[in-house]
Amino acid sequence: MGTARFKLWAVLIVVVQTSALATAEEPTCVPGFKSNMALFRVAKKHLRENMTLGKVDFTDCTDHTRLLFSSDDSRFSVQTDGTLMVIRPVFLHEGQQEFSVHSWDSQGSKRTLTVRVLHHVDKHFNHHQNVEHQHGQNKHQNHQYHLTEEDLANNDVSATHDVPTLHFPKSGEGLRRRKREWVIPVISRSENDRGPFPLKISQIRSNEDKIKKIYYSITGPGADQEPVGLFTMDRDNGNLYLNQPLDREKQAKYVFQAHAVADGSGNAETPMEVIVHVIDQNDNSPVFTNSTYLGEVAEASPKGFEVIKVLATDADEPGNHNSDIRYRILSQDPELPSDQLFEIQPQTGAIRVNIGGLDREKYPKYTLEVLAADMGGEGLSGKAKVILTVTDSNDNAPTFTQRSYEATVAENKVDTQIITMLVQDGDDPHTPAWNAKFRIVDGDPGGHFTVKTGINKQEGIISTAKGLDFEKNSKYTLLVAVENEVPFAVALPTATATVVVNVQDVNEAPVFDPTEKLVSKREDLAVDSDVVQYTAYDPDTARKQKVMYRIIRDPAGWLNVGKETGLIKVKSLMDRESSFVKDNKYTALIGAYDNDEVPATGTGTLVIHLEDVNDNAPTIEERQIKVCNKDPAPQVLPVTDKDGPIFAAPYSVSLQGMSRNNWTARMNETKTGVILNLATELESGFYTVVLRVADTAGLEQDSTVQAEVCDCKGEEVVCILPVAGGELPMVLGILGAILLLLMVVLLLLLFARRRKGEKKEPLLQDDDIRDNIYYYDEEGGGEDDQDYDLSVLHRGLDNRPEVFRNDVLPNFMPAPQYRPRPANPEEIGNFIDDNLKAADNDPTAPPYDSLLVFDYEGGGSDAGSLSSLNSSSSGDQDYDCLNQWGPRFKKLADMYGGGEDDML
């Protein structure tokens, strides 16, 4: 039994070892490209569109024969079977082009292959192409395609191709660690595809479709978002369709989500991001920023001189061959004196002078037609015009109208114009080649002069930059050169002129040295003591003038100065505590003048620092206090001293005279204030307290304080002044006198009023029949002046008491609207007329419409009736004599005289 078991175990061990050995000997599949680099040799530098270069070898260790590839260079594309194709024309400027191709294995890992397209020419290469795959430094030939260039050109590999299939990433347990490395391939489609549409561009597959019914859908931009419906998906098989041509210039990439849902069980896969990259096509021509460019070029411009730069832009993908623009000149008009006067830099568009020979007088303008083409100059193109105006060059040097100038200027004058120099130039006026500029080239090492160009650009103006000194230099000889604003086009001599400037001597004011002098003196310096000798010198050394001195400003009047010596003495005692002293310094202004016919005066500032002396005793600031006579509060009296700190605090205090009996005084803790307190209870009243305060040096002074003692207690002082009994009668007497005076004034006013109301005796009696003189120009006075008795006008109502006057203001009648006063004085006339009419029609203004009763006039009259005054029947009356009485009676004569009027 044991032997059988041993044999069984031995057989099992042999089988296991044999199986392991067989497994070890089986080759292991490694997904990815079979080499690190692929080399494709071509015979021409220009690679045409749809040209096949060869194949790249890639495996994902599955049974998939179609895989998805992507290229870093959008001009190359790798089909699902690994075929490498040129999708846009390529020109190998440097003889080769290198880029990378990517693919993904079944685990979602990205694999990269470096591809190099190399231009190589030999006698065998005209009939075949070589494709080499390299692994590091070891090279071996894997694939060889015997395709001629014509075969490659005619091979339409883009006619029909299998579309790539995208699988949802696996979510198995073993792939969790590599989930971040899973990359979904990008779907690349060329723009401007002609269809037919819908065009299948990919297929989405789920690994669950073998066991479940899967429904596919897409969401996002291009699907259910703008642009809606650009991409659609067959929900049953996952085919992704493009429904219309793409335009890279509108949108270069579309990103949306793919979903897989199992029938009856929800999501079968996690949504997958799908990226559709739009491959650029050369469908946009270069466009110049301007249709016409304007520029100027000087006729003497050297070769290589940049005149102008043109710029064109291409809407195709930047950095792509489709937007690689090159410039060239198509034509030049006129083509004289040469048809290649200008050249253009192909990459930058800069137009430069190619050869000399520009002549403004013969050919003042050139028109260039410039072309800009993409694809390195071989693709689409655009055109623009460049108009160049030939300008005059600076071939004439400016020259002075005279070779030398001479001028005179007074010394010490700054920014004074000295002389104006004129020049002439043969170039075009008012151009940079004609405008002159000047410079001093010699004779002014100290920078005393400046030269600037005048407004007309043809004159140079020399001025002083600093004050000149006759005593140092009485003459300057300047050398002035003239040039243009632009350099000479050819070698020309520079014109110069000599300017002699003579300095005129003037009487200069004496100068104090130093201009501000500081001295220190005691403030109690005795009168007529010397302060300092402050002197000045005369810069006019050649004139031998005498300098004298005087005080110009001495605010306090403390100083005196010697007229000929400049010795300053004390005229009156100085005081450091004066208001004229600031920061212990007193400032005075001293003048020095010469004895010229027109004296010149210079000034110097004298600053005296006053040293403090103890000449001011301390004083008490507060001189009036109020205290209670019971439990009074101490009074703190501040002490001040005008002297400096060394002669001030600490202070001391003592009471003097009778004040010592009732008061106590002591200094506070800082020794700067007196604490005064009432020692005994005093009656209410005013008291004088004498305090003697001394400073730290012992200088003392008595100060009096007026103290008002009130009948109160504590700190709150309340003073009540009693009224004496003898004073009350006097106050009452004063008030009575005032009342008596007011009564007298009222009686006088009443008497004057009554006198005015008495009726005066008329000078003429009523029955005195004489002519009276009336003055009609008197407008004032009123009725009182005429002595009229208005009571007779009211007799009617007085005699009829049963009749009353219904003179009542209407209550229900609206008042008119009055016009406001105008701001314009010219409207004042209209304002008065309008308001006058409104007042006339105002029913609310008196007099009102009411019943008025008038008196009876009587039953007869001695004078008879007016109706008896009729014309005499004895005959016609002659009224012609009225014409002789003047113009006033002429109208009356016409009315009663008859004449022509009666005959009408």
Side-chain angles (χ1 to χ4, degrees):
M1 187 67 177
T3 303
R5 288 182 178 178
F6 176 77
K7 291 182 179 179
L8 179 59
W9 280 106
V11 171
L12 291 175
I13 291 173
V14 171
V15 171
V16 170
Q17 290 180 349
T18 304
S19 175
L21 181 61
T23 303
E25 291 178 353
E26 292 180 359
T28 303
C29 177
V30 178
F33 293 97
K34 290 189 176 180
S35 60
N36 296 328
M37 174 179 285
L39 180 64
F40 295 85
R41 299 178 184 271
V42 293
K44 294 182 180 180
K45 286 188 176 183
H46 188 273
L47 307 182
R48 297 186 302 273
E49 187 176 358
N50 296 330
M51 179 178 178
T52 302
L53 300 179
K55 278 192 174 184
V56 295
D57 197 353
F58 180 83
T59 180
D60 63 348
C61 297
T62 64
D63 56 352
H64 293 155
T65 58
R66 299 286 182 177
L67 300 171
L68 188 63
F69 298 90
S70 66
S71 172
D72 287 345
D73 194 331
S74 60
R75 296 174 296 178
F76 299 92
S77 176
V78 182
Q79 304 301 320
T80 57
D81 61 351
T83 301
L84 179 62
M85 296 186 61
V86 179
I87 60 176
R88 290 201 314 274
V90 177
F91 187 81
L92 304 177
H93 294 281
E94 299 179 356
Q96 65 176 4
Q97 182 69 35
E98 188 172 304
F99 57 94
S100 297
V101 173
H102 311 283
S103 187
W104 293 261
D105 58 20
S106 60
Q107 305 301 322
S109 298
K110 184 178 181 180
R111 307 291 181 172
T112 302
L113 172 68
T114 301
V115 177
R116 179 180 297 169
V117 180
L118 179 64
H119 173 238
H120 180 74
V121 179
D122 57 34
K123 60 182 180 179
H124 301 290
F125 191 76
N126 292 331
H127 302 287
H128 65 271
Q129 267 190 319
N130 293 333
V131 180
E132 298 181 2
H133 290 261
Q134 304 175 3
H135 292 270
Q137 300 295 329
N138 300 323
K139 303 178 182 179
H140 61 276
Q141 189 171 5
N142 291 335
H143 302 279
Q144 188 174 32
Y145 298 92
H146 299 280
L147 298 175
T148 63
E149 293 291 324
E150 183 178 359
D151 294 334
L152 294 175
N154 295 331
N155 185 18
D156 186 6
V157 297
S158 63
T160 58
H161 298 288
D162 292 342
V163 297
T165 301
L166 303 182
H167 291 269
F168 283 91
K170 295 181 179 180
S171 58
E173 185 68 26
L175 293 178
R176 286 184 180 179
R177 187 175 301 174
R178 302 183 59 186
K179 184 176 182 180
R180 293 184 180 179
E181 300 179 2
W182 191 283
V183 178
I184 306 301
V186 177
I187 302 174
S188 298
R189 295 302 304 179
S190 177
E191 65 174 335
N192 304 322
D193 200 324
R194 298 182 179 179
F197 298 101
L199 178 64
K200 180 180 178 182
I201 60 174
S202 182
Q203 184 180 15
I204 308 299
R205 294 289 304 278
S206 172
N207 294 329
E208 302 293 330
D209 61 355
K210 298 178 181 179
I211 58 177
K212 300 178 182 179
K213 175 60 178 176
I214 302 298
Y215 297 104
Y216 301 93
S217 63
I218 56 175
T219 60
D224 58 348
Q225 300 177 16
E226 290 294 333
V228 178
L230 182 61
F231 300 97
T232 56
M233 177 167 285
D234 191 316
R235 68 187 302 267
D236 294 322
N237 53 30
N239 290 338
L240 179 63
Y241 294 96
L242 175 66
N243 296 318
Q244 64 186 45
L246 300 174
D247 188 354
R248 191 207 65 83
E249 285 69 38
K250 290 184 178 180
Q251 189 167 342
K253 183 174 67 173
Y254 296 89
V255 180
F256 48 86
Q257 301 289 325
H259 306 271
V261 180
D263 186 13
S265 60
N267 291 335
E269 303 283 358
T270 301
M272 178 178 62
E273 185 180 76
V274 179
I275 301 176
V276 177
H277 174 71
V278 182
I279 301 174
D280 185 39
Q281 295 289 335
N282 190 20
D283 55 349
N284 291 280
S285 300
V287 178
F288 282 93
T289 56
N290 295 322
S291 60
T292 302
Y293 292 85
L294 302 178
E296 293 182 351
V297 55
E299 59 180 341
S301 299
K303 181 180 179 180
F305 176 77
E306 184 174 318
V307 181
I308 196 173
K309 181 182 287 187
V310 297
L311 178 64
T313 58
D314 197 310
D316 289 322
E317 185 178 1
N320 194 301
H321 196 54
N322 294 334
S323 60
D324 185 11
I325 297 176
R326 295 292 184 270
Y327 302 91
R328 67 175 182 267
I329 298 176
L330 296 179
S331 63
Q332 169 191 309
D333 182 33
E335 297 181 352
L336 297 173
S338 173
D339 60 350
Q340 296 182 355
L341 288 175
F342 304 95
E343 63 178 359
I344 189 169
Q345 213 286 331
Q347 284 80 19
T348 64
I351 298 177
R352 299 186 177 95
V353 176
N354 187 31
I355 58 176
L358 295 174
D359 190 343
R360 183 184 65 85
E361 288 73 22
K362 293 183 179 180
Y363 311 106
K365 185 176 295 185
Y366 288 91
T367 301
L368 307 179
E369 187 176 16
V370 181
L371 177 75
D374 57 18
M375 299 187 69
E378 301 295 333
L380 303 177
S381 62
K383 296 179 182 180
K385 284 186 177 182
V386 179
I387 300 176
L388 301 178
T389 301
V390 182
T391 60
D392 185 29
S393 295
N394 190 12
D395 51 0
N396 293 280
T399 59
F400 288 95
T401 56
Q402 60 187 83
R403 299 296 301 273
S404 62
Y405 300 86
E406 186 171 1
T408 301
V409 62
E411 63 176 334
N412 302 323
K413 296 292 184 180
V414 181
D415 198 20
T416 300
Q417 182 174 327
I418 300 174
I419 197 171
T420 300
M421 303 172 294
L422 299 178
V423 297
Q424 56 187 9
D425 196 310
D427 293 313
D428 285 348
H430 307 292
T431 62
W434 181 82
N435 297 338
K437 64 178 183 178
F438 302 84
R439 59 188 176 93
I440 299 174
V441 297
D442 192 20
D444 185 25
H448 292 86
F449 302 92
T450 60
V451 59
K452 62 181 181 180
T453 304
I455 298 178
N456 62 359
K457 301 297 183 179
Q458 288 287 284
E459 62 183 15
I461 303 173
I462 297 180
S463 305
T464 55
K466 302 177 181 178
L468 306 179
D469 191 349
F470 174 82
E471 285 71 28
K472 292 183 178 179
N473 192 353
S474 61
K475 179 184 290 188
Y476 293 87
T477 302
L478 308 177
L479 186 63
V480 182
V482 61
E483 298 172 340
N484 293 120
E485 292 181 353
V486 295
F488 296 141
V490 294
L492 296 173
T494 301
T496 58
T498 303
V499 180
V500 177
V501 179
N502 297 311
V503 182
Q504 181 182 2
D505 186 24
V506 297
N507 184 27
E508 300 178 81
V511 179
F512 281 91
D513 187 18
T515 57
E516 182 176 309
K517 193 174 186 66
L518 176 65
V519 296
S520 181
K521 296 294 179 180
R522 287 171 56 92
E523 64 173 324
D524 60 348
L525 190 64
V527 176
D528 206 27
S529 298
D530 295 344
V531 178
V532 70
Q533 188 170 17
Y534 194 17
T535 60
Y537 68 91
D538 192 349
D540 295 321
T541 56
R543 291 177 175 243
K544 306 298 182 181
Q545 298 179 136
K546 184 179 180 181
V547 178
M548 293 168 288
Y549 304 91
R550 62 187 178 92
I551 299 291
I552 294 180
R553 182 165 54 86
D554 180 15
W558 292 341
L559 304 176
N560 202 352
V561 62
K563 180 178 180 181
E564 297 183 356
T565 62
L567 180 62
I568 299 174
K569 293 185 177 184
V570 178
K571 183 173 68 173
S572 60
L573 288 177
M574 297 181 291
D575 186 6
R576 188 193 68 88
E577 292 75 32
S578 171
S579 60
F580 299 105
V581 178
K582 304 297 182 183
D583 298 329
N584 300 330
K585 294 179 181 179
Y586 179 72
T587 303
L589 192 63
I590 312 301
Y593 60 97
D594 53 32
N595 58 349
D596 191 77
E597 294 180 358
V598 181
T601 302
T603 59
T605 303
L606 176 63
V607 180
I608 303 175
H609 182 273
L610 295 177
E611 300 174 359
D612 189 24
V613 296
N614 194 16
D615 57 348
N616 292 279
T619 59
I620 297 176
E621 292 183 359
E622 189 173 355
R623 296 300 184 94
Q624 294 182 352
I625 61 173
K626 288 184 179 182
V627 295
C628 291
N629 55 5
K630 302 180 184 64
D631 296 332
Q635 303 293 317
V636 180
L637 308 177
V639 179
T640 59
D641 195 325
K642 294 182 180 180
D643 292 323
I646 60 175
F647 299 115
Y651 303 108
S652 60
V653 65
S654 62
L655 290 166
Q656 301 299 314
M658 298 300 294
S659 302
R660 289 183 294 219
N661 299 331
N662 302 320
W663 302 85
T664 61
R666 60 184 176 87
M667 300 302 301
N668 60 5
E669 295 181 358
T670 60
K671 305 296 183 182
T672 58
V674 176
I675 300 177
L676 181 63
N677 196 11
L678 180 63
T680 61
E681 183 176 345
L682 300 177
E683 293 183 0
S684 300
F686 294 90
Y687 298 86
T688 301
V689 182
V690 181
L691 298 172
R692 180 170 294 175
V693 184
D695 59 21
T696 184
L699 184 62
E700 59 187 12
Q701 177 178 276
D702 291 346
S703 300
T704 59
V705 176
Q706 296 294 328
E708 182 181 358
V709 178
C710 301
D711 188 12
C712 58
K713 184 178 180 180
E715 297 182 357
E716 186 176 356
V717 180
V718 178
C719 295
I720 301 176
L721 295 178
V723 180
E727 295 178 355
L728 183 59
M730 182 180 64
V731 174
L732 295 177
I734 294 173
L735 294 177
I738 294 174
L739 292 176
L740 182 60
L741 181 62
L742 291 176
M743 292 177 64
V744 171
V745 172
L746 292 176
L747 290 174
L748 291 176
L749 293 175
L750 182 59
F751 179 75
R753 180 91 178 177
R754 291 178 60 86
R755 291 270 303 182
K756 189 175 181 180
E758 293 179 358
K759 183 175 181 180
K760 297 179 181 180
E761 185 70 20
L763 296 178
L764 298 177
Q765 299 298 325
D766 293 338
D767 55 354
D768 190 4
I769 305 173
R770 285 182 296 181
D771 291 337
N772 295 320
I773 299 176
Y774 293 93
Y775 295 93
Y776 295 97
D777 57 344
E778 293 182 357
E779 298 179 358
E783 295 179 351
D784 292 341
D785 295 340
Q786 306 298 330
D787 292 332
Y788 292 140
D789 187 6
L790 300 179
S791 61
V792 296
L793 299 178
H794 301 279
R795 291 176 182 174
L797 293 180
D798 294 339
N799 297 331
R800 306 277 299 276
E802 71 278 5
V803 179
F804 64 93
R805 183 175 175 178
N806 187 21
D807 196 12
V808 182
L809 173 69
N811 295 326
F812 303 102
M813 304 185 70
Q817 297 294 327
Y818 289 90
R819 177 180 175 183
R821 182 175 181 179
N824 187 5
E826 297 179 357
E827 294 291 328
I828 194 68
N830 297 332
F831 162 74
I832 295 175
D833 294 339
D834 296 343
N835 287 347
L836 181 59
K837 294 178 181 179
D840 292 341
N841 299 324
D842 187 1
T844 63
Y848 312 118
D849 292 337
S850 57
L851 175 62
L852 299 180
V853 179
F854 297 94
D855 197 8
Y856 178 66
E857 295 182 0
S861 174
D862 296 336
S865 175
L866 293 178
S867 60
S868 63
L869 295 177
N870 55 358
S871 299
S872 176
S873 59
S874 60
D876 294 334
Q877 183 72 27
D878 186 10
Y879 294 98
D880 294 337
C881 62
L882 296 176
N883 291 325
Q884 300 176 3
W885 293 4
R888 296 185 178 180
F889 295 89
K890 187 177 185 301
K891 185 65 177 174
L892 188 61
D894 294 339
M895 293 174 60
Y896 294 96
E900 296 179 358
D901 295 339
D902 297 338
M903 298 175 64
L904 294 176

